[in-house]
Structures are given as structure tokens and as C-alpha cells.
Amino acid sequence: AQSVAQPEDQVNVAEGNPLTVKCTYSVSGNPYLFWYVQYPNRGLQFLLKYITGDNLVKGSYGFEAEFNKSQTSFHLKKPSALVSDSALYFCAVRDGNYGQNFVFGPGTRLSVLP
Amino acid sequence: DTGVSQNPRHKITKRGQNVTFRCDPISEHNRLYWYRQTLGQGPEFLTYFQNEAQLEKSRLLSDRFSAERPKGSFSTLEIQRTEQGDSAMYLCASALTSGSAYEQYFGPGTRLTVT
């Protein structure tokens, strides 16, 4: 069965600084990896995905994520944080070889301080 | 707006009552998912439909829960004999499965409070 870990409940970063939100995963087959963001009183919004190909994936709002197979990680990054990036971020994984069940991590709350 | 919509947005009910939630997916999306999210947790998969067929159900989906997607368009999730532990945000998502890799688009959710 697949699983996702987000080791940090909370990440604080100053505006303009680079940010990283960590995600590690476990699947038996090929990992399909996703990042979503959730703003208060709004649904989850898709940011980016890794399926195959280049390990560095670029997504919405200037976010990118790096797939690292040996470390089973898919960390979310942004070179320069904005206050408006403050939200709850979820990493998700689907086993590409089995089923349609997306498994989400517990979420990491990002606070960007002005 | 052509996003995923869910109704109602909030539902307060007494323990033992039945409730039904509705999800309207993005019109051309063939796959529809239901999730449950509790405070401080990520969404937990409940079930999904490919068109009108319900293809997978989680162990979380007890026999008090039933979902339908008649005609492969909107979907309903019914909870019978609600319990306090059913209090959560219920999320619906839809996807267009052209190929094997696709992202889900989520609705705003229905927050259920069982008193």
C-alpha cells in the first residue's frame, strides 16, 4: 500500500526567501506524485505533478518540485516566497501500477512572514 | 464557473439522522471521487466512479455510507444513521482520464457536523 509523509507540520519563511516543503513517499510500483494547496474556505487546488521524465517539475504560481527516486522524496520548492503563498500544502501519491487510490499526506502549513 | 460544485456547503444534523450531499463535477470529466477530511489531516479516499460505475471503495466506507452517480454526471453521497464520528469535511473531486496520469480537481467541500 502507498503512503505519504510530510515531516513538518509548519514551515515559516520570510517573504523573498526560498521555501521548501518536504514530502517522502512509499509505493510498490511507479509513483505518480502530486502537490495541492488549500486556502481557507476553498477547495484543494492542483499545483504540479510528476509522472515520468525530467526530475524537476514546474507548476503553478512559480512552484516547482524535485523528484528523487533514491530518497523517495518529492519536495516542493519556490525560489522567492510571497505572503500570499501562506496556505496548507498537501503531497499525494498514486501507485501507477495499481488502483486509482490517491493517498494524501497530512499537510504542511506554510506561513510566509512579511 | 465550470469548476466542481458541492451542495450544501454546510450541514448540521442530529445523531441518527440521514444526510445526503451532492457533487457536480466538471462537465466533461469521466471520473469522480469522494474523500473525507478531518481537522489536521489530509483527504482520505472513500470511493470513486468511472462514469456511472462505482469501481473502488475504501475500507473507511462503512455500510452506512452509499454513493451513486446516475447517468455518469452528478453524484450523491448518503450517510445513514449519522454518528458524531462522521463529522468531517466531505470533498468531491473529478478528473478527465485521458491517459494514465491525470490530476483531480476538487470542489469546496461539504462540512458535516453531527450533534
Side-chain angles (χ1 to χ4, degrees):
Chain A
Q2 56 265 41
S3 64
V4 176
Q6 293 182 243
E8 301 156 317
D9 293 335
Q10 173 93 29
V11 170
N12 296 322
V13 63
E15 187 175 28
N17 283 1
L19 70 87
T20 299
V21 182
K22 296 180 180 177
C23 171
T24 58
Y25 67 90
S26 173
V27 295
S28 55
N30 293 324
Y32 291 175
L33 295 155
F34 304 81
W35 276 102
Y36 285 83
V37 60
Q38 188 173 37
Y39 297 100
N41 299 316
R42 297 182 65 179
L44 279 79
Q45 297 178 31
F46 168 75
L47 280 179
L48 50 79
K49 66 183 178 184
Y50 170 83
I51 304 301
T52 187
D54 193 348
N55 289 345
L56 185 64
V57 178
K58 295 187 182 297
S60 306
Y61 313 120
F63 284 93
E64 57 190 29
E66 186 168 11
F67 171 65
N68 187 317
K69 187 174 182 178
S70 62
Q71 297 185 4
T72 61
S73 67
F74 189 56
H75 300 332
L76 181 69
K77 300 180 180 184
K78 188 172 183 181
S80 178
L82 301 173
V83 173
S84 58
D85 293 330
S86 299
L88 195 53
Y89 290 80
F90 292 96
C91 181
V93 67
R94 180 170 81 84
D95 188 329
N97 291 2
Y98 175 76
Q100 299 298 327
N101 184 359
F102 284 70
V103 175
F104 284 79
T108 298
R109 184 164 299 282
L110 173 67
S111 292
V112 182
L113 309 174
Chain B
D1 183 80
T2 57
V4 179
S5 62
Q6 293 185 247
N7 288 289
R9 294 291 305 275
H10 303 273
K11 179 69 176 179
I12 300 174
T13 191
K14 293 184 178 180
R15 188 177 56 188
Q17 298 294 306
N18 299 344
V19 294
T20 300
F21 310 141
R22 177 178 169 125
C23 171
D24 288 89
I26 295 172
S27 59
E28 66 269 24
H29 284 188
N30 56 340
R31 194 160 282 175
L32 187 148
Y33 297 78
W34 284 100
Y35 291 86
R36 181 171 66 189
Q37 185 179 22
T38 54
L39 198 61
Q41 300 295 321
E44 296 174 294
F45 169 80
L46 292 178
T47 188
Y48 90 93
F49 293 82
Q50 173 86 12
N51 299 313
E52 66 274 10
Q54 188 174 16
L55 297 184
E56 190 172 338
K57 292 192 285 188
S58 163
R59 294 188 306 274
L60 295 174
L61 209 66
S62 78
D63 56 6
R64 296 185 298 106
F65 288 68
S66 62
E68 295 182 343
R69 192 183 182 198
K71 303 179 182 179
S73 55
F74 72 92
S75 176
T76 58
L77 178 68
E78 180 183 16
I79 309 175
Q80 296 182 327
R81 305 181 304 281
T82 53
E83 302 173 356
Q84 287 188 324
D86 297 332
S87 296
M89 179 75 84
Y90 290 84
L91 301 173
C92 174
S94 69
L96 179 62
T97 57
S98 56
S100 62
Y102 49 87
E103 59 269 22
Q104 300 177 359
Y105 293 85
F106 282 81
T110 294
R111 182 170 297 283
L112 173 66
T113 302
V114 182
T115 62

